[in-house]
Amino acid sequence: MTAQPATARFTLVISGAPYTSQAPQSALRFAEAVLSAGHAIERVFLYGDGVHLASSYAAPPSDEPDWPEMWAEFLQQHRIAATCCVASALRRGLLDHTEARRYQRPGVNVRSCYTVAGLGDWLEAEQAADRTLYFKDGGG
């Protein structure tokens, strides 16, 4: 009998913004490869400028890739948990329903596939994963 290879679990942290860094693009390609290889993604955590991926208001020109939309479709298709750092999101004007009510703002612009939460979610995901990879400005 042949033993099945162990499945690795990954947490991905994206801190580079779409359109100003390669981080979201590199992370998406890596995530696709991870799943294709039979591994799992525990959580995607957006931090710093990476929270711009969660914006439902991003509207790139029609001849450019829509990275926020591509990420949302990927997360929903594969049912992967995704979190935006609450401090990073608030500093950049990204609000979910809870934060919009808390700060008495009229609109919500965080896509529904993301949870806005603190670093505790990141720490939990990091502990549950075998590996954590960081995708920052410059694609690394």
Side-chain angles (χ1 to χ4, degrees), residues 45-48 51 83-96 98-99 102-103 115-120:
F45 192 83
L46 305 181
Y47 183 74
V51 299
T83 301
C84 293
C85 170
V86 65
S88 295
L90 291 174
R91 285 185 191 110
R92 289 160 180 83
L94 288 145
L95 303 168
D96 64 359
T98 301
E99 300 306 324
R102 177 178 295 149
Y103 292 99
T115 301
V116 176
L119 294 176

Side-chain angles (χ1 to χ4, degrees), residues 26-125:
S26 298
L28 184 58
R29 298 299 170 241
F30 178 81
E32 292 168 338
V34 162
L35 297 182
S36 291
H39 301 295
I41 298 173
E42 182 68 28
R43 179 174 299 274
V44 173
F45 192 83
L46 305 181
Y47 183 74
D49 285 337
V51 299
H52 289 293
L53 272 178
S55 175
S56 62
Y57 290 163
S62 62
D63 63 340
E64 292 182 17
D66 188 342
W67 293 109
E69 179 65 21
M70 292 167 70
W71 261 106
E73 289 174 2
F74 176 80
L75 294 168
Q76 291 167 345
Q77 177 184 358
H78 298 288
R79 294 185 175 109
I80 296 171
T83 301
C84 293
C85 170
V86 65
S88 295
L90 291 174
R91 285 185 191 110
R92 289 160 180 83
L94 288 145
L95 303 168
D96 64 359
H97 290 284
T98 301
E99 300 306 324
R101 277 191 302 275
R102 177 178 295 149
Y103 292 99
Q104 300 175 356
R105 298 296 192 262
V108 171
N109 59 343
V110 171
R111 292 173 182 263
S112 62
C113 59
Y114 293 94
T115 301
V116 176
L119 294 176
D121 275 18
W122 169 61
L123 292 173
E124 285 178 16

Side-chain angles (χ1 to χ4, degrees), residues 1-6:
M1 185 183 284
T2 306
Q4 294 289 351

